[in-house]
Amino acid sequence: MGGCVSSTFLNGLNGAPTLVFGAGVTGAPTIEFLKSQGSVVHIVDEKVEEPNVLRSLQGLNLQEMYCAVVSPGWHTDHPLIEEARHNGVKVVSEIDLAWRVKLETAPDQRWLALTGTNGKTTTVQMTEAMLRESGIDATACGNVGFTAIEAVTQTSSEILILELSSFQLEWSNEAHFETVAILNIAEDHIDWHKSFENYAAAKFRITENAKCIILNRHDDEIVRRAQSIGNLIGNRLIWFSLDTPAPHQIGLVENLIVDRAFISEEAEALFELTDITPAVPHNVLNAMAAAGLARSVGAASDSIAQALKKFTLDHHRLEVVAEKDGITWIDDSKATNPHAAVAALQSHMSSIWIAGGLAKGASMEELVEKCKNRIKVAILIGKDAPIIEAAMRKHAPDIQIASIDPGLAGIEVMRRAVALAHMQARSGDVVLLAPACASMDQFKNYAERGELFAQAVKEKIGE
C-alpha cells in the first residue's frame, strides 16, 4: 500500500490507484479532485447502477491501493470497507482527505467546526457573515455550499467553518480545529447509529482535536458529556446561554448578548436581541454560538452586530410563504427530526401542525409532551404518521388529528394537507409545516417538500 500518511501525500496520488466509497453528492467532488491529481480512481457504490461504478471489490488489486476515501453515510463496519481494511488499504474520510490537502497547499489556513442536531447550517452561515463583515476571508463548508475538499482547493480563504454531521464525525480523526461548537444533541439518525448513546458520542468527537470548545449550557446531554472534557489540558471551555454570563461565558443581560469569554476586559456587548430575526430562543442561541466561533479568531463586536442585522434564514427554515386573512403559512420543512420540530412549534402560540414522513428511529413522545399546548390541530402525512399519532393519542388525546393517505406523493400530499389546514385555520392561527421527519418517502428531499407546500398554499389562497 502507498504512504497515505506521508508528507508528500499529493505527490503520491499521481499515477496511484485509489478507491472512493460513495458516488453521491460528497463523492463526486472527491473523485474529481483525485483525478485532477493523476490518480486512477475506482468508485464503489452498491446503490448506483452506472458503467463506471463498481458494486463490489472483485477484480481490484487492493494491496496496490494508495488509499480509500469514504463518503459520510457508510457504516464503519460495512463489509466492503472491512474487506478493504483487511487487505491493508488505509481508509480516510472526505474531511481527513481535505485536511491532508490543506496541510500541503494552505498550511496557514485555520479551521473552525460546528455540529449539533439542529441549527448547524444557520450557525455556520452566521459565522461566515460575521467574519466577512470583520474583513476576514472565511468560507462556510462541509454540509453547506462547498464540500471540504472544494473549499480547500477552490477558495483562498483564511478560515473555513465546517458544518459537520454525526456521520462525518464518526469517520474523521485527523483534522484539527482552532475552535469547535456544539449547539444541541437530541434524537436523530438512531436507525444509522443504532442507539442515542452512539449518536451523541459521535457528535462529541468534534471536541477531540480542538484548541477551544464552545457549548450550549441549556442542553442537558451536552452538560453531562462536558464533564469528561472539563479537565483536558490546553482546552478552553466556553459556555453560551440565555442567562447572565459568568467569566468564560457568553450570555444575556437584559436585551444584550454579552461576551465574557474572548476579551481582556470585564465584558463586552456583542449584539442586541433586536438584531436577530426571528429572535426566538433557539435562533438567539445559534447567534451566540456563531459569535463565539467568530470571536475566537478575531471578529469585532460591531461587525458581529452588523452581520446579524443583515442576516436572513435559509429557505425552508421558519420561512413565511404566505399571509392572508390573518393566517400565516410557514415552511419549516428543514425540521427533519423531533428536536427541530419542537423549536418550530415553540416559536408560535397556536399552530395547525403538518407533520410526518420517515422518523429514522426517533421517538415522538417528548415532542408531543413539550408542544401539546401549542398544537391546535395535527395533520399527519407520510409513512411514519402512525408513530406521531400514537404519541398524540397518549399525551394529547383532545387534539384533533387528520391523516392523509401515505400512498400519495408530491404535490397531491400537500394539496390535501393545505386544504385540511385551510378548513381549520382562523385569523391569528399559524399553519406550520414542521415535519419532525425526513422526506424521502413522498418527496425527493426536504427542499421539494417545502416548495410543494408553498405551491399548494398559493394555489389554495389565490396568491
Side-chain angles (χ1 to χ4, degrees):
M1 187 197 75
C4 221
V5 289
S6 73
S7 60
T8 55
F9 173 68
L10 287 176
N11 290 343
L13 283 171
N14 192 11
T18 52
L19 270 175
V20 173
F21 288 100
V25 174
T26 307
T30 301
I31 293 159
E32 189 178 325
F33 167 74
L34 292 171
K35 286 182 176 176
S36 77
Q37 300 301 304
S39 174
V40 180
V41 182
H42 301 278
I43 308 161
V44 183
D45 196 321
E46 295 168 307
K47 296 175 183 172
V48 176
E49 294 210 25
E50 288 181 15
N52 64 333
V53 177
L54 305 173
R55 298 172 73 83
S56 75
L57 303 181
Q58 285 178 339
L60 295 177
N61 187 338
L62 295 176
Q63 280 74 27
E64 287 188 355
M65 289 295 158
Y66 188 63
C67 63
V69 183
V70 64
S71 302
W74 285 68
H75 286 281
T76 50
D77 60 354
H78 191 286
L80 293 177
I81 288 168
E82 295 276 276
E83 184 183 345
R85 281 203 183 106
H86 181 72
N87 282 277
V89 181
K90 174 71 176 175
V91 180
V92 298
S93 74
E94 37 98 29
I95 299 298
D96 288 346
L97 170 71
W99 178 255
R100 292 179 178 197
V101 176
K102 165 248 182 289
L103 289 177
E104 288 193 47
T105 62
D108 296 331
Q109 186 182 71
R110 293 181 289 169
W111 284 19
L112 306 174
L114 174 119
T115 196
T117 303
N118 296 300
K120 296 186 291 296
T121 300
T122 297
T123 307
V124 296
Q125 289 173 333
M126 283 178 170
T127 308
E128 177 187 71
M130 292 169 181
L131 289 170
R132 289 183 174 179
E133 191 75 31
S134 293
I136 297 167
D137 186 355
T139 298
C141 63
N143 275 342
V144 54
F146 291 109
T147 60
I149 191 66
E150 287 172 316
V152 170
T153 58
Q154 297 177 27
T155 77
S156 56
S157 298
E158 300 167 57
I159 291 172
L160 298 187
I161 312 129
L162 285 86
E163 175 192 328
L164 297 177
S165 68
S166 56
F167 304 146
Q168 288 165 313
L169 289 165
E170 182 85 55
W171 271 108
S172 301
N173 304 294
E174 299 178 18
H176 283 64
F177 305 105
E178 293 293 312
T179 308
V180 299
I182 307 179
L183 295 173
N184 41 60
I185 301 177
E187 275 202 358
D188 199 12
H189 301 299
I190 307 304
D191 51 350
W192 195 89
H193 288 281
K194 306 302 183 201
S195 70
F196 177 69
E197 174 61 31
N198 291 345
Y199 170 70
K203 288 290 190 192
F204 243 76
R205 293 196 70 200
I206 201 171
T207 64
E208 291 172 7
N209 291 329
K211 294 179 187 173
C212 177
I213 299 164
I214 300 173
L215 300 176
N216 178 357
R217 203 155 62 89
H218 294 304
D219 190 292
D220 292 343
E221 186 65 27
I222 289 175
V223 170
R224 184 177 74 78
R225 288 181 176 272
Q227 293 166 3
S228 66
I229 61 169
N231 299 321
L232 287 180
I233 296 169
N235 284 69
R236 289 186 67 197
L237 191 54
I238 308 294
W239 292 95
F240 64 94
S241 76
L242 301 174
D243 302 322
T244 304
H248 311 296
Q249 293 182 1
I250 293 171
L252 186 63
V253 179
E254 295 178 353
N255 72 326
L256 293 175
I257 282 70
V258 172
D259 176 9
R260 295 195 68 192
F262 297 103
I263 52 149
S264 51
E265 294 82 34
E266 179 66 17
E268 184 174 2
L270 297 177
F271 54 93
E272 299 182 28
L273 286 177
T274 52
D275 294 334
I276 307 169
T277 306
V280 292
H282 70 272
N283 204 39
V284 175
L285 291 167
N286 292 343
M288 286 179 167
L293 287 168
R295 290 287 273 177
S296 76
V297 288
S301 57
D302 57 345
S303 298
I304 287 172
Q306 277 303 320
L308 286 172
K309 283 174 189 169
K310 300 174 191 174
F311 189 82
T312 55
L313 288 177
D314 255 5
H315 287 316
H316 316 298
R317 175 61 85 204
L318 287 177
E319 183 177 7
V320 176
V321 297
E323 292 179 85
K324 191 173 182 183
D325 302 327
I327 301 161
T328 305
W329 300 78
I330 294 178
D331 164 17
D332 200 46
S333 184
K334 209 170 181 186
T336 58
N337 56 60
H339 188 263
V342 167
L345 285 161
Q346 291 186 340
S347 299
H348 307 284
M349 294 308 296
S350 171
S351 295
I352 294 166
W353 179 41
I354 301 172
L358 296 172
K360 299 175 288 181
S363 165
M364 299 292 162
E365 305 252 336
E366 188 180 352
L367 183 167
V368 173
E369 274 200 282
K370 278 186 174 177
C371 299
K372 59 190 176 187
N373 295 329
R374 304 287 180 109
I375 301 168
K376 180 177 175 181
V377 176
I379 297 169
L380 304 182
I381 64 174
K383 178 173 175 285
D384 288 336
I387 295 173
I388 303 175
E389 182 170 353
M392 299 281 296
R393 300 267 183 235
K394 180 177 175 183
H395 299 291
D398 297 333
I399 294 175
Q400 185 181 339
I401 300 170
S403 294
I404 289 167
D405 180 358
L408 294 174
I411 188 64
E412 287 309 315
V413 178
M414 285 306 171
R415 282 179 178 143
R416 300 274 181 98
V418 164
L420 286 169
H422 192 256
M423 285 166 57
Q424 298 288 340
R426 300 290 177 268
S427 181
D429 283 342
V430 166
V431 178
L432 175 66
L433 172 67
C437 293
S439 57
M440 287 77 74
D441 54 337
Q442 294 175 307
F443 308 91
K444 285 182 202 164
N445 47 40
Y446 76 80
E448 184 190 63
R449 178 170 62 187
E451 285 153 12
L452 294 179
F453 170 71
Q455 179 187 327
V457 170
K458 284 164 185 172
E459 287 175 5
K460 188 71 189 172
I461 66 173
E463 284 199 355

